Amino acid sequence: MLNQEMPLVTIAIPTFNRAGTYLKHTLQSAIGQTYKKIEVIVSDNCSTDHTERVVKEFNDPRIQYVKHSQNIGHFRNFKFCIEQARGDYFLLLQDDDLIDEDFVDACLKTVNYSIMEIGVIRTGTRYIDPDGHCLGEWPNEVGGLSTEEFFLAYLSFKTGIYLCSTLWNTKRLREAGGMSSKHNLFLDVMAVARLSSQFGRNDIQESKASNRKHPNELSSSVKTKEWCEESFLLVDVMCNLASEKRMALSLKRAGRNFIFKHNYNLAKKEKVVSNRLKGFLLISRKCGHLFFISRFLKYVVLDGWKAVKRKIKQLIVPVGYAT
């Protein structure tokens, strides 16, 4: 196939004040792709650090640097990236995440390096700490499953959806209204649900991208109430996209457990006790009081047992012989 017939892939990096931490590594992972027909858009959300200098040091003609005159917010910056993309396929790579050098190659291989109607192409995802050390990974093991089975796998915590490991069909993403939701928390998951339902998806089992976990990541400051509201909306979207009433009921049942577990784990992390209790009360009202009580007791027991095991491990100290 001639080079000019190969699809163009846009890798967009929305960024704000990450010049001294992760941006350089993220940008290097983008331009270091084995697939060369890419454009990289760095959308600087009015950073006050030396972001521009970091970007220009790469001296790569495929990089387009745009600096906004004022901070337009995280999600308007996401929207800007989608609007600016010229590629047939699009990756929104946050400025603290990474992609493997063969990420684009592996994704395009599933469509024979051509422009197809497929809505999304997904890979597995690694978790890394602030220093880039691997904390674990989540292989993408939903290949061959129907759309509804894919939704069930997500709601059952058997697969994850992350921006860094999702390649979008740019045209179809725009037609679907881009990425948006009430609180912009599950915006990527909702967009994946809609596009995979209408246009299908391709799945790659291996992990080809890394999601960085650190205290300043985007979702770390969001209130439990907003997550709770958004998770109910997500389940509704998936149920409405189901092709059969039977599958919609299965998704609704799985969704209630997803809503409880996801938001229970968030509420536990609330440092202010009153906020934690408000979170539990909200989940109880939405899920049903009896359901909440049964699940709450189950997880309290599990959490208690885990704490006991950690304490036992701390107390068991190897005894050495005096010399």
Side-chain angles (χ1 to χ4, degrees):
M1 184 178 292
L2 296 175
N3 184 60
Q4 60 266 27
E5 296 175 343
M6 304 284 275
L8 176 66
V9 176
T10 297
I11 302 175
I13 305 174
T15 189
F16 176 71
N17 282 352
R18 287 271 168 81
T21 53
Y22 309 120
L23 177 61
K24 185 174 182 179
H25 303 290
T26 300
L27 189 49
Q28 180 61 56
S29 77
I31 66 169
Q33 292 298 295
T34 54
Y35 184 84
K36 300 303 181 183
K37 193 173 182 182
I38 62 171
E39 66 167 4
V40 179
I41 300 172
V42 180
S43 183
D44 183 352
N45 208 359
C46 198
S47 294
T48 57
D49 60 8
H50 56 288
T51 290
E52 183 172 2
R53 186 168 78 243
V54 167
V55 175
K56 291 187 175 180
E57 283 175 354
F58 280 90
N59 193 29
D60 191 313
R62 296 172 299 173
I63 299 175
Q64 300 175 38
Y65 174 72
V66 180
K67 182 170 184 176
H68 298 289
S69 59
Q70 60 183 5
N71 192 306
I72 60 175
H74 297 296
F75 304 107
R76 286 183 63 193
N77 203 12
F78 287 5
K79 182 180 180 182
F80 175 83
C81 289
I82 297 171
E83 292 170 347
Q84 296 301 304
R86 295 185 303 114
D88 304 294
Y89 296 98
F90 174 80
L91 173 68
L92 187 62
L93 183 62
Q94 297 189 85
D95 62 359
D96 50 358
D97 290 341
L98 304 171
I99 51 175
D100 293 2
E101 64 177 9
D102 63 340
F103 173 85
V104 174
D105 246 328
C107 290
L108 292 189
K109 187 177 180 180
T110 71
V111 291
N112 296 317
Y113 297 93
S114 62
I115 304 169
M116 296 181 68
E117 290 297 296
I118 198 75
V120 292
I121 305 171
R122 303 175 57 251
T123 79
T125 311
R126 269 181 234 96
Y127 304 118
I128 57 176
D129 68 11
D131 297 319
H133 301 130
C134 184
L135 299 171
E137 65 178 300
W138 203 341
N140 180 30
E141 297 179 333
V142 297
L145 297 185
S146 67
T147 298
E148 291 88 353
E149 290 170 332
F150 167 46
F151 293 168
L152 279 173
Y154 177 81
L155 294 176
S156 302
F157 301 96
K158 294 178 181 176
T159 191
I161 295 175
Y162 296 91
L163 283 171
C164 63
S165 49
T166 304
L167 189 67
W168 308 83
N169 181 311
T170 311
K171 177 182 176 182
R172 298 308 180 193
L173 179 60
R174 286 174 176 155
E175 289 175 351
M179 300 180 213
S180 64
S181 58
K182 183 176 181 179
H183 297 298
N184 291 314
L185 300 174
F186 285 114
L187 76 173
D188 52 340
V189 182
M190 290 189 184
V192 166
R194 293 189 179 102
L195 265 67
S196 60
S197 176
Q198 188 171 358
F199 301 106
R201 67 181 201 283
N202 285 352
D203 293 293
I204 299 167
Q205 182 178 15
E206 294 80 16
S207 297
K208 295 292 182 181
S210 299
N211 176 252
R212 195 183 301 270
K213 301 297 181 184
H214 58 93
N216 297 319
E217 59 183 317
L218 187 57
S219 62
S220 62
S221 61
V222 179
K223 300 299 183 182
T224 304
K225 181 177 181 293
E226 294 178 354
W227 274 110
C228 195
E229 290 177 355
E230 189 107 327
S231 59
F232 276 94
L233 292 174
L234 171 63
V235 173
D236 285 343
V237 166
M238 290 183 169
C239 289
N240 291 335
L241 289 171
S243 58
E244 299 178 8
K245 186 176 181 180
R246 175 181 59 84
M247 289 301 298
L249 290 173
S250 296
L251 288 168
K252 190 173 183 179
R253 285 193 294 270
R256 189 161 69 156
N257 192 61
F258 169 84
I259 290 165
F260 172 84
K261 188 173 181 180
H262 181 274
N263 293 291
Y264 170 78
N265 287 332
L266 285 172
K268 279 197 312 180
K269 296 177 183 177
E270 288 280 6
K271 295 180 180 179
V272 180
V273 175
S274 60
N275 290 340
R276 195 181 314 155
L277 293 175
K278 286 177 183 177
F280 289 152
L281 182 60
L282 178 63
I283 301 166
S284 180
R285 286 202 306 265
K286 294 289 188 178
C287 293
H289 296 307
L290 290 177
F291 180 86
F292 174 83
I293 291 170
S294 66
R295 290 296 187 275
F296 181 79
L297 292 174
K298 174 184 176 182
Y299 283 100
V300 165
V301 171
L302 285 175
D303 290 342
W305 174 237
K306 289 177 182 177
V308 169
K309 288 200 296 185
R310 285 196 298 269
K311 190 67 175 178
I312 291 173
K313 286 182 179 179
Q314 292 171 1
L315 292 173
I316 299 175
V317 179
V319 179
Y321 292 98
T323 57

Short mmCIF file of all heavy atoms in Angstrom, two decimals, residues 28 76 85 118 157 169 191 199 203 243 256 259 277 287 294 296 298 301:
data_model
loop_
_atom_site.label_atom_id
_atom_site.label_comp_id
_atom_site.label_asym_id
_atom_site.label_seq_id
_atom_site.Cartn_x
_atom_site.Cartn_y
_atom_site.Cartn_z
N GLN A 28 7.12 12.18 24.19
CA GLN A 28 8.08 11.24 23.60
C GLN A 28 7.40 9.95 23.17
O GLN A 28 7.70 9.39 22.12
CB GLN A 28 9.20 10.94 24.60
CG GLN A 28 10.26 9.97 24.08
CD GLN A 28 10.96 10.50 22.84
OE1 GLN A 28 11.53 11.60 22.86
NE2 GLN A 28 10.92 9.74 21.75
N ARG A 76 -13.34 21.52 27.92
CA ARG A 76 -13.36 22.34 26.70
C ARG A 76 -12.06 22.17 25.93
O ARG A 76 -12.05 22.23 24.69
CB ARG A 76 -13.58 23.81 27.05
CG ARG A 76 -15.02 24.13 27.46
CD ARG A 76 -15.20 25.60 27.73
NE ARG A 76 -14.95 26.40 26.54
CZ ARG A 76 -14.80 27.73 26.55
NH1 ARG A 76 -14.83 28.38 27.71
NH2 ARG A 76 -14.59 28.39 25.43
N ALA A 85 -8.46 17.99 15.16
CA ALA A 85 -7.84 16.78 14.59
C ALA A 85 -8.10 16.66 13.10
O ALA A 85 -9.24 16.78 12.64
CB ALA A 85 -8.37 15.55 15.32
N ILE A 118 -15.38 1.14 11.64
CA ILE A 118 -15.29 0.72 13.04
C ILE A 118 -15.26 1.94 13.96
O ILE A 118 -14.58 2.93 13.70
CB ILE A 118 -14.04 -0.16 13.26
CG1 ILE A 118 -14.13 -0.96 14.55
CG2 ILE A 118 -12.77 0.65 13.22
CD1 ILE A 118 -15.07 -2.13 14.46
N PHE A 157 -16.74 -5.18 36.23
CA PHE A 157 -15.32 -4.91 36.52
C PHE A 157 -14.39 -5.95 35.90
O PHE A 157 -13.33 -6.26 36.43
CB PHE A 157 -15.08 -4.83 38.03
CG PHE A 157 -15.90 -3.76 38.71
CD1 PHE A 157 -17.11 -4.07 39.32
CD2 PHE A 157 -15.47 -2.44 38.72
CE1 PHE A 157 -17.87 -3.09 39.92
CE2 PHE A 157 -16.21 -1.45 39.34
CZ PHE A 157 -17.43 -1.78 39.94
N ASN A 169 -12.52 6.43 15.81
CA ASN A 169 -12.80 6.85 14.44
C ASN A 169 -13.22 8.32 14.55
O ASN A 169 -14.26 8.65 15.11
CB ASN A 169 -13.94 6.00 13.87
CG ASN A 169 -14.29 6.37 12.44
OD1 ASN A 169 -14.47 7.53 12.11
ND2 ASN A 169 -14.40 5.36 11.59
N ALA A 191 -19.06 7.55 25.39
CA ALA A 191 -18.76 7.66 23.96
C ALA A 191 -18.37 6.30 23.39
O ALA A 191 -18.79 5.94 22.28
CB ALA A 191 -17.64 8.67 23.74
N PHE A 199 -21.25 1.29 15.53
CA PHE A 199 -20.28 1.01 14.47
C PHE A 199 -19.35 -0.16 14.77
O PHE A 199 -18.53 -0.53 13.93
CB PHE A 199 -19.43 2.27 14.21
CG PHE A 199 -20.24 3.46 13.80
CD1 PHE A 199 -20.44 4.51 14.69
CD2 PHE A 199 -20.82 3.54 12.55
CE1 PHE A 199 -21.20 5.61 14.34
CE2 PHE A 199 -21.57 4.63 12.17
CZ PHE A 199 -21.78 5.67 13.07
N ASP A 203 -10.82 -5.20 19.34
CA ASP A 203 -10.17 -5.36 20.64
C ASP A 203 -8.81 -6.02 20.50
O ASP A 203 -8.66 -7.02 19.78
CB ASP A 203 -11.04 -6.21 21.56
CG ASP A 203 -12.34 -5.52 21.95
OD1 ASP A 203 -12.26 -4.51 22.66
OD2 ASP A 203 -13.42 -5.97 21.52
N SER A 243 -30.04 -4.25 22.60
CA SER A 243 -30.93 -4.60 21.49
C SER A 243 -32.11 -5.45 21.94
O SER A 243 -33.11 -5.56 21.22
CB SER A 243 -30.14 -5.35 20.40
OG SER A 243 -29.53 -6.52 20.94
N ARG A 256 -26.64 -1.98 38.97
CA ARG A 256 -26.89 -1.59 40.36
C ARG A 256 -25.71 -1.99 41.25
O ARG A 256 -25.30 -1.22 42.12
CB ARG A 256 -28.18 -2.24 40.88
CG ARG A 256 -28.60 -1.71 42.23
CD ARG A 256 -30.04 -1.98 42.56
NE ARG A 256 -30.31 -3.39 42.79
CZ ARG A 256 -31.34 -3.84 43.53
NH1 ARG A 256 -32.18 -2.97 44.08
NH2 ARG A 256 -31.54 -5.12 43.69
N ILE A 259 -22.86 0.42 40.43
CA ILE A 259 -23.08 1.73 41.04
C ILE A 259 -22.70 1.68 42.52
O ILE A 259 -22.02 2.58 43.03
CB ILE A 259 -24.55 2.17 40.87
CG1 ILE A 259 -24.82 2.51 39.40
CG2 ILE A 259 -24.88 3.36 41.76
CD1 ILE A 259 -26.29 2.60 39.04
N LEU A 277 -20.75 10.07 55.02
CA LEU A 277 -22.10 9.61 55.36
C LEU A 277 -23.12 10.08 54.32
O LEU A 277 -24.03 9.34 53.97
CB LEU A 277 -22.49 10.14 56.75
CG LEU A 277 -21.69 9.56 57.92
CD1 LEU A 277 -22.08 10.25 59.22
CD2 LEU A 277 -21.90 8.05 58.03
N CYS A 287 -29.89 3.08 45.13
CA CYS A 287 -29.83 1.63 44.91
C CYS A 287 -30.96 0.88 45.61
O CYS A 287 -31.23 -0.27 45.28
CB CYS A 287 -28.49 1.07 45.38
SG CYS A 287 -27.07 1.61 44.43
N SER A 294 -27.38 -4.78 52.49
CA SER A 294 -26.78 -6.10 52.25
C SER A 294 -25.37 -5.98 51.69
O SER A 294 -24.45 -6.67 52.14
CB SER A 294 -27.66 -6.94 51.31
OG SER A 294 -27.71 -6.36 50.02
N PHE A 296 -23.45 -3.24 51.85
CA PHE A 296 -22.62 -2.50 52.80
C PHE A 296 -22.04 -3.45 53.85
O PHE A 296 -20.83 -3.40 54.14
CB PHE A 296 -23.46 -1.42 53.48
CG PHE A 296 -22.69 -0.59 54.47
CD1 PHE A 296 -21.85 0.43 54.05
CD2 PHE A 296 -22.79 -0.83 55.83
CE1 PHE A 296 -21.14 1.20 54.96
CE2 PHE A 296 -22.09 -0.07 56.76
CZ PHE A 296 -21.26 0.94 56.32
N LYS A 298 -21.60 -6.62 53.57
CA LYS A 298 -20.64 -7.52 52.91
C LYS A 298 -19.28 -6.86 52.78
O LYS A 298 -18.25 -7.45 53.13
CB LYS A 298 -21.16 -7.90 51.52
CG LYS A 298 -20.18 -8.72 50.70
CD LYS A 298 -20.72 -8.99 49.29
CE LYS A 298 -19.70 -9.71 48.43
NZ LYS A 298 -20.19 -9.93 47.04
N VAL A 301 -17.43 -6.24 56.16
CA VAL A 301 -16.78 -7.47 56.62
C VAL A 301 -15.51 -7.73 55.83
O VAL A 301 -14.46 -8.06 56.40
CB VAL A 301 -17.75 -8.67 56.51
CG1 VAL A 301 -17.01 -9.98 56.78
CG2 VAL A 301 -18.91 -8.52 57.49
#
